[in-house]
Amino acid sequence: MRFPSISIVALAASVLSPVLVVAQSNVVIKIDGSDVSIPLSGQTSYDSNQDERMRRPLVVSADGRSVTVEGNTHRALPLTPALTIKASTTMELDVTIGDIQEAQALCIDENTGHSPSRCFVFAHTQDLSSSWHVLEPQTPEGETRHYSIPIGHYFWGVNKYNYLAYMQDNDSNDRDSGSMTIANIQISDGAEYFIEQDGIRHYVNTAEQKSIGSGQDSWQYGLKVSDDGKSMQVQGNMHRAVPLDTAVTIDVNTQLDFDFTLEDLRDLHALCFADSTLNKNKCLVAGKQEHWSNVFYLSPQTQQGESHHYSLPIGLLYQGTFDHIMFIQDNDSGCRSCGDATYANVKLSQIVHPELDIMVNGVVQKIKASTAVSARDDQDTKTNFLEFPTSVSVTMIGNTHKALTITEPFTIDKATELDFDFTLGKIEEHHTICIVTDPSNIASYTSTTGGKRCFTVAWTQNVGWDVDITPQTPEGETRHYSIPIGLWHPGGTAYYLVLVQDNDANKLTGKATFSNIEFSQRPDLVINIDGVDTSVFNYQLSYGTRQDFEQNLIEVSDDGKSASLYGNLHKAIELPTPVTITDDTVLSFTLDVEQELEIVSICFDEDLSDQVHARCLKLSGYQTRDFGTLIYKGIKQTYEGERKEYLIRLKEFYTGTFQYIVFQHDNDGASRHDGISHFSDIALYEIEPSCLTGATFNFNLNECTIDGFVAGVQSSMASVGACAGKDAWRELLSLWDGQSDSDVRKRIQDICVSGNAGETVSFDMLLDSEKQFVEEFFDGGNKWNYEVDEAGGPDLATNAAESEFFDGGNKWNYEVDEAGGPDLATNAARITYADEKFDDKTAISLPHVHNFEGCELRAAMCCYVAARDADSEPTDNSDACYMEFKNSQESSHVRDGYSIYPDDSEGAFTCHGFAWGNDSGYADAAFKGNTLFNVAMKRGLYTSKEVEELPGAPMCGCVEHMPVVSRADCTKTTVTQTISVSFKPVTQFFAETSITSVAHEDCGDLTTHYGQLVTDGKATATEALKLKRHLVGDGQCGNALYDFLETKGFIYPGSGVSSTQAKK
């Protein structure tokens, strides 16, 4: 940008020599393009002590445009009206020096007192003080030069300058010596500096510029305006205010843009807006070497030699109407003339601020960015503005303590939750979100009175007024937070959202974004009390001593009827009114254990202590001792993957009046966030006499399951007037005076078993043998397993009744069928008889032998290593991995030990199994003895002639007692039957079963079939995972062996191992 400077041109002396035709009475100069005549009659001495009483006249050319001064002369001509000089005012003239003297100059002054600072020196021989404006280059004797002087750079004022003075100083003995001619004086104003607001130019009046600050401004240095009026150059120490022709208004939506160039950095460089008070508290600092208070520091600061464009929402810093613009270039050093900065293209405009969408209780609320203010003036860097990259996110850059006004204030209480996503670009001291409820004191966000209002999710420095939320977000990552702020916040009406990114070391660094901010209320927990759904305010208190993990909360479903527990927590929720538990009070609920942990319990208590009375009922968990005051005896347990319904008559444990319902979810392990359980449909009611008393009804079932039985009762109750709208479980509990649902289940199972009594045969009766024979057979020991059928050899039909039949010594297992030897078809005729007489029309009970005790997974299988046919081997459908003897001590007859089978070393090996549902009334459960008979006797022994067990293992048994294998084939049993159930007042329930058919069919792979049981709700996913520890899958024996041997302190070396124990 071009700024006016002194311009000097040498001219031929002959051209400018005055031609005196007649004595001229006026001097003519041009001001702003017009001739102005100055009468000589008004001339006066300029410093009367020097002018020798005007003894030497001014010589004026005929056109009045040239004035020659001869000898010592100090002469002032009056300017009427007085001259106004602006920063852009320039004076042009031609100067001829005929005879050089001590000082030859032209002055523009307010008075005739002679001020050197108002004089421009063209030639001199005498040393002059710095107050004089000595032009360079000087005009030599005998030469003429043209000067263009930016006089507005040196002094200024409105109607202030009254005299034009010609000065030729000669204090020598010959005072008549010296000659100077000044011609063609033109004074004109250049472009005035302007700023724009909304496209309209607002010009300043630099003639009225004022010094601001006592003793701060160096008045001798003037502002410099560019030719186009768009730039203002500030040189030297300057604290200067310039009035605007019309005031500008800055409101909350005003944006400021300007360009700043810094050539010479000094203490501080600032642009300010001010009203008539000329206060410096509205200054924007663009460059600095020292720090001032009560000003705004722009970011980034401009360094020496740099230019920056600044664009900022100035209306967020201050607002008002301003009639001055100020320029501050502070330089308190010895070189007061140093410092050089330019402000260009200053524009004020209106912008539309973004809005931040937050969610409050399911409703979008728009927070205006225009409401952003410093939450604390002593902490906030005001010019670090919030940024809004999207409608749901706000970014903090640099040190920030900003408050946003909440458009529609809402209530914070003990059940309030705050959710958001947090992205950390660069970590600083702490990154925090706060909620202020004092409408008159935003700075109260750091108060700890009554609680804490701020929540920090990343930090390098701890402060005492916030809650540190873990885990922290690492740099470069995004995390979602769900914070129960009501637990710490004192509550009230939320008026301000405060965002903090604190950095006292470097105010400009740090970056973080809060997104998807949502405030919500945890739903009330709904408990049905005496038939009325009762809302319980969801304020969760820590229960007990030092057990609760405060940040883990119970999650209540939207309808309030389900409570989900995650990780370690011990929480009490206060009931709206205390409940009284009597001898007739029943607690009912459903528990679903998704991930098992140490203890799951439910309690009622009169206080928050867990140390005094036994109030908590243990329902689940793998902890087996050190229960303290927990009640665990007589309470059925729910295991991982299970869902169970509970009816508990509380009089067995305690009675009284209680203020709190309590949930314990104890996990003291390494990860206190592990463990998941769900309570639902919690109810308390007083048991009443059963509506079934006196009723008569009947219903039919295809399977006599507990759920089916209860459903049949429920359906039948619709026809019993007194039972309308009532619950069958409750009525059955009352009918049988039960203490819990377990009592009801047991009664139903007994009824169903009694219904099958006439249609059931024991396994021992089936084979016409004693228990020992059966047991030995399934261990692979009696002679059914070991004989070889040869001509003239053992006879299965004759020997079938011997006691060692099922013990592994029985010839059914060990005989080999050869020509002329034992004949299985003959010797095992009992199998054919039993199959024809019983299997397809009678329920066969599972044998009461150790092989089938403890079938927790409800799956069994038989595995064989030999065949009765002398020239045959069993079908090789599986691989044996290993056998741990302690799992079948009664079969292996040793306390512990194991055998391993790497690389298919067991030879031909076949396994066949079956599984049944988790209710004894399911057909596959009620007829599991039939399935065993079909798998072990008919298919395994009689048809396939498969015999003998893997060493140390049973031949047949629960999968928990069997070897770990890769897989097993599968058989399932289907039954066509009708169970008729009737109820009469005297006999109550009576069940009778009519069996039409029992059929067995292939179900492929046992593991796959078990997955179908999970799908059908007859087994759990957890049970399916446990089954895979016994049936590990094709090709997985190596991995299974590695894991198993690692528990023994050995390392499995892979293929080629032939010993039963690998060496470490």
Side-chain angles (χ1 to χ4, degrees), residues 146-221:
H146 178 81
Y147 287 88
S148 180
I149 307 168
I151 57 176
H153 292 183
Y154 303 104
F155 46 85
W156 49 88
V158 178
N159 299 326
K160 181 177 180 180
Y161 299 95
N162 299 301
Y163 295 95
L164 180 68
Y166 296 84
M167 193 190 81
Q168 183 166 269
D169 188 59
N170 178 5
D171 296 328
S172 68
N173 292 331
D174 182 9
R175 292 205 167 190
D176 292 327
S177 298
S179 176
M180 174 185 70
T181 301
I182 298 175
N184 305 316
I185 297 174
Q186 297 185 57
I187 299 173
S188 59
D189 295 330
E192 188 61 286
Y193 182 70
F194 66 87
I195 65 173
E196 290 187 23
Q197 182 167 36
D198 299 325
I200 298 174
R201 292 183 177 184
H202 294 257
Y203 288 91
V204 303
N205 188 349
T206 52
E208 296 186 57
Q209 58 187 286
K210 306 176 184 72
S211 291
I212 50 175
S214 176
Q216 289 290 320
D217 186 50
S218 295
W219 185 251
Q220 65 268 34
Y221 307 120

Side-chain angles (χ1 to χ4, degrees), residues 666-732:
D666 190 64
N667 184 9
D668 299 325
S671 177
R672 304 193 78 183
H673 294 281
D674 289 346
I676 304 173
S677 302
H678 310 278
F679 286 86
S680 58
D681 299 320
I682 302 170
L684 278 173
Y685 66 93
E686 297 297 298
I687 199 166
E688 297 176 350
S690 176
C691 69
L692 297 175
T693 304
T696 301
F697 57 83
N698 57 71
F699 56 86
N700 294 330
L701 301 171
N702 293 324
E703 294 180 313
C704 199
T705 63
I706 293 171
D707 288 343
F709 188 97
V710 173
V713 173
Q714 188 73 62
S715 177
S716 299
M717 284 168 55
S719 61
V720 179
C723 294
K726 295 189 175 182
D727 178 73
W729 277 102
R730 296 185 181 188
E731 297 308 315
L732 291 171

